[in-house]
Amino acid sequence: MGRLDNKVAVITGAASGIGLATAVRFAGEGAAVVIGDLNEDGGQSAVRQCRENGGRAVFQRCDVAAEADIKALIERAVKEFGKLDVIFNNAGLGGAVGTIEEVTVENWDRTMAILLRAVFVGMKYAVPEMRRIGGGSIISTASVAGLSGGRGPHAYSAAKAAVINLTRSVALEVGKDRIRVNCICPGGINTPLLYNRLPGGQETTAQFLSQIQPIPRAGLPDDIANMALFLASDESEWVTGTAMVVDGGLTAGAALFDRAGAPQLTVPGGFSGPSFEK
Amino acid sequence: MGKLDGKVAVITGAASGMGRASAILFAKEGASVVVTDLNSQGGEMVVSEIAAAGGRAVFQRTDVTSEVDIKAAIDRAVKEYGRLDITFNNAGVAGAVGELENIEARDWDRTFAVLTRAPFFGIKHSIAPMRKSGGGSIISTASTAGIRGVAGLHAYSAAKAAVVNLTQSAAIALGHDRIRVNCICPGGVLTPLIYRGVPGGEEAAERNLARMQPIPRAGRPEDIAAMALFLASDDAQWITGAAMIVDGGVTTGNVRIRMEQLGTGGFSGPSFER
Ligand SMILES: NC(=O)c1ccc[n+]([C@@H]2O[C@H](COP(=O)([O-])OP(=O)(O)OC[C@H]3O[C@@H](n4cnc5c(N)ncnc54)[C@H](O)[C@@H]3O)[C@@H](O)[C@H]2O)c1
Ligand SMILES: NC(=O)c1ccc[n+]([C@@H]2O[C@H](COP(=O)([O-])OP(=O)(O)OC[C@H]3O[C@@H](n4cnc5c(N)ncnc54)[C@H](O)[C@@H]3O)[C@@H](O)[C@H]2O)c1
């Protein structure tokens, strides 16, 4: 018996990283999954991995910056599998990077469209479908960058903080419909979003990420998928409005005696696009 | 296959409420459980219930205000089952309640002894056996009252806030040993702690609790047990220092302004425009 038997889930950004791991995990627990992403090759491969893990899945190309694409994704879930129980608003990228005076208004707006507006649009179209079936679970990927400054680029940090508070305000409105709204704040997870953009690639990034928090290893996509699974399942029936921190202890506080030589990240300015694009 | 197969857990306050629900769930998921409480009769009943369902558990009478008792409960786990993987510091009382100016120092101290000092002892004495196991998961029951104060529950609010912060500092210190330290912040959960002595008892309490938060039902001990299980399991391998809120949304905010009062849909423009 799976923890998501008979549930139908839409996951954005499921061609890679956290979304991919979550799609495979959900499929293995009995859910039917609609995979939405810009990246078609990755999306098709995600479908195969979901099926290999014993679940049902379909891919639909989707640009989360387009309202119509998200609406169509949700319609696809209903058409293909009959209903919608879970939406995981997860697609993301680094977005506008650089110092505050380097960030252009255009890049700011593009970042907000993908990291924040897409989450709003996902909620907007998921709520009526979930109400129809007597409840559901909305999950979004925020970030520890949404909890304090200095843990991500400016636009990214602002967008993720907004996702956390949007989660709260919508949770208040739809609790009576048994629709739960939560988000996850991952710490440093070794996904293409980071390692395709950092010098040295996946191994160097793993090395770097293993040193930045109390638990001495890099975060893995499965660490977040496990939390998403908990929030998607009926085990969390009374959990709503929360920002679940999964960060190996990164934000727990400071150590009085910091380990010497804590590593630093430097990223050049500009716009950091979807991780599959070089 | 259970989520806690082969693991050994100590749970305080396991004769009733959330501790009881967690002991039953942990055992069902394959853990061997040391059920501890002041209440021997209640504790023995939980052990029988677990045994009847085919699980493994023993009872050890424990007063969590006593460091010796807590250490003995942990030693019992190692003696009985060979190791320690999970400690759930959960025993609790409402403690010194009422108006600030009427709280006696003695009652303040007793509240802290149960709610704050006991989790400290639990963490302290779990470290050595968990290191030996190559890691472990320490969970404490804090409260939403530890995030935002509740008038009338002054000592309780302060004591639970201390649990949240102790969780964080311990997590930082113990991460390297793969010992994870987290707490759970429940909202209003229907247990004897809440309905004991309340006029109308359990039913009235349930009706009141159902209206307190966005999700229109009272919290159940099982809601908290499910989070405790998640934190105890390897699914939460990379989670430490976290305060997990399980409250039906009560701390999410306040619906002071009803949406209808702002109009249905549309856009609210600059205030000088009509
Ligand atoms: N990796 C981390 O350390 C970390 C930390 C905190 C939060 N996050 C968040 O986790 C989420 C997932 O990121 P990841 O780390 O798995 O990265 P990833 O790059 O591996 O995956 C993100 C996916 O989103 C897709 N995507 C990007 N823009 C899109 C668009 N406009 N429309 C549709 N799909 C789009 C990408 O193609 C990619 O498949 C993001 O929201 C990210 O901000 C990541
Ligand atoms: N019920 C709620 O709404 C609520 C909300 C937030 C937090 N909490 C916390 O949850 C935890 C569990 O409480 P519950 O609601 O299940 O209540 P409960 O009264 O059903 O269970 C608490 C158990 O702790 C035991 N206990 C009390 N003092 C003890 C001591 N000195 N030594 C050993 N055992 C002792 C009691 O005998 C009882 O079995 C407590 O820490 C409480 O503060 C409860």
Side-chain angles (χ1 to χ4, degrees):
Chain A
M1 223 192 59
R3 290 159 75 187
L4 300 182
D5 278 345
N6 302 319
K7 291 200 197 286
V8 178
V10 163
I11 306 180
T12 68
S16 174
I18 293 168
L20 170 61
T22 305
V24 175
R25 191 93 167 86
F26 279 18
E29 293 290 344
V33 185
V34 177
I35 288 168
D37 207 292
L38 267 182
N39 176 359
E40 300 200 29
D41 290 345
Q44 296 297 355
S45 149
V47 167
R48 281 192 298 278
Q49 291 178 60
C50 285
R51 290 182 183 155
E52 277 160 22
N53 211 24
R56 291 178 297 165
V58 293
F59 170 71
Q60 171 143 331
R61 191 184 180 282
C62 154
D63 180 353
V64 297
E67 178 177 9
D69 280 16
I70 295 181
K71 187 164 180 288
L73 202 60
I74 289 167
E75 284 166 1
R76 178 78 186 272
V78 176
K79 203 178 116 226
E80 197 84 37
F81 302 119
K83 59 176 183 152
L84 179 73
D85 300 277
V86 180
I87 186 166
F88 187 21
N89 303 302
N90 164 77
L93 34 58
V97 284
T99 64
I100 193 69
E101 59 271 52
E102 281 167 349
V103 173
T104 64
V105 166
E106 193 216 349
N107 282 344
W108 175 275
D109 287 345
R110 282 167 70 196
T111 309
M112 288 296 162
I114 294 164
L115 293 183
L116 174 57
R117 200 179 65 193
V119 173
F120 146 63
V121 175
M123 290 175 176
K124 176 181 163 80
Y125 290 107
V127 161
E129 288 305 332
M130 292 179 173
R131 203 174 266 144
R132 213 190 311 283
I133 59 168
S137 174
I138 298 175
I139 310 163
S140 307
T141 310
S143 169
V144 292
L147 295 170
S148 73
R151 299 201 187 274
H154 296 299
Y156 185 92
S157 301
K160 294 298 190 182
V163 168
I164 295 171
N165 231 28
L166 178 66
T167 296
R168 297 191 184 111
S169 72
V170 178
L172 279 172
E173 185 173 294
V174 299
K176 63 178 186 321
D177 302 309
R178 306 274 172 149
I179 300 172
R180 305 181 293 100
V181 191
N182 295 285
C183 63
I184 305 176
C185 296
I189 311 294
N190 200 6
T191 71
L193 186 137
L194 291 178
Y195 68 68
N196 278 356
R197 294 284 177 267
L198 295 178
Q202 190 165 7
E203 269 175 42
T204 312
T205 307
Q207 180 65 29
F208 164 79
L209 290 178
S210 71
Q211 292 163 41
I212 61 173
Q213 68 279 309
I215 296 184
R217 71 157 167 87
L220 303 172
D222 268 334
D223 293 319
I224 309 306
N226 291 338
M227 176 55 93
L229 171 60
F230 177 76
L231 291 173
S233 77
D234 294 338
E235 293 150 40
S236 60
E237 204 183 86
W238 204 59
V239 177
T240 196
T242 68
M244 294 293 185
V245 177
V246 180
D247 71 349
L250 181 69
T251 57
L256 186 53
F257 308 103
D258 244 332
R259 247 171 277 136
Q264 291 280 320
L265 263 188
T266 37
V267 195
F271 188 85
S272 180
S275 63
F276 73 95
E277 288 174 2
K278 286 282 146 170
Chain B
M1 226 193 57
K3 289 188 199 121
L4 302 181
D5 279 344
K7 293 197 197 286
V8 176
V10 170
I11 306 180
T12 70
S16 172
M18 302 171 194
R20 174 179 175 275
S22 301
I24 291 169
L25 182 61
F26 283 20
K28 186 172 151 231
E29 293 289 344
S32 304
V33 184
V34 177
V35 169
T36 80
D37 209 289
L38 262 185
N39 173 0
S40 300
Q41 207 193 341
E44 295 288 5
M45 274 171 62
V46 172
V47 167
S48 313
E49 202 172 325
I50 289 172
R56 295 211 296 174
V58 291
F59 175 71
Q60 167 121 352
R61 189 181 182 281
T62 305
D63 179 350
V64 298
T65 63
S66 150
E67 180 167 13
V68 173
D69 277 17
I70 292 183
K71 180 159 189 311
I74 288 167
D75 289 346
R76 176 80 186 272
V78 176
K79 204 181 114 223
E80 199 82 38
Y81 302 118
R83 55 189 285 133
L84 178 73
D85 303 279
I86 301 153
T87 299
F88 188 12
N89 304 302
N90 163 78
V93 292
V97 292
E99 287 165 13
L100 262 176
E101 59 263 54
N102 297 329
I103 297 174
E104 301 290 346
R106 200 176 129 264
D107 290 336
W108 177 275
D109 289 345
R110 282 167 61 198
T111 309
F112 269 70
V114 177
L115 296 181
T116 304
R117 211 178 58 180
F120 156 61
F121 292 150
I123 295 170
K124 175 178 168 182
H125 293 291
S126 296
I127 295 172
M130 284 186 178
R131 265 198 195 125
K132 212 169 284 170
S133 308
S137 174
I138 301 174
I139 308 160
S140 304
T141 310
S143 169
T144 51
I147 296 173
R148 293 274 181 274
V150 176
L153 285 176
H154 300 287
Y156 187 90
S157 300
K160 292 297 193 182
V163 172
V164 174
N165 245 37
L166 173 66
T167 296
Q168 294 171 343
S169 67
I172 298 165
L174 301 175
H176 216 78
D177 297 307
R178 306 274 172 146
I179 299 174
R180 304 183 291 102
V181 192
N182 295 288
C183 63
I184 305 175
C185 297
V189 178
L190 191 67
T191 71
L193 187 135
I194 294 260
Y195 60 73
R196 200 183 63 130
V198 169
E202 188 171 351
E203 274 175 37
E206 180 164 18
R207 270 196 309 278
N208 289 334
L209 287 177
R211 289 197 298 257
M212 264 174 50
Q213 64 280 312
I215 297 184
R217 71 158 170 85
R220 301 178 187 131
E222 290 73 20
D223 295 319
I224 310 306
M227 176 58 89
L229 170 63
F230 176 72
L231 290 172
S233 77
D234 292 339
D235 269 8
Q237 229 180 62
W238 204 60
I239 300 184
T240 196
M244 297 299 189
I245 297 176
V246 180
D247 70 349
V250 77
T251 51
T252 298
N254 252 327
V255 195
R256 287 267 159 68
I257 302 177
R258 302 243 311 280
M259 292 304 152
E260 301 88 273
Q261 293 169 343
L262 290 177
T264 50
F267 186 82
S268 179
S271 60
F272 73 95
E273 287 175 2
R274 282 281 137 175

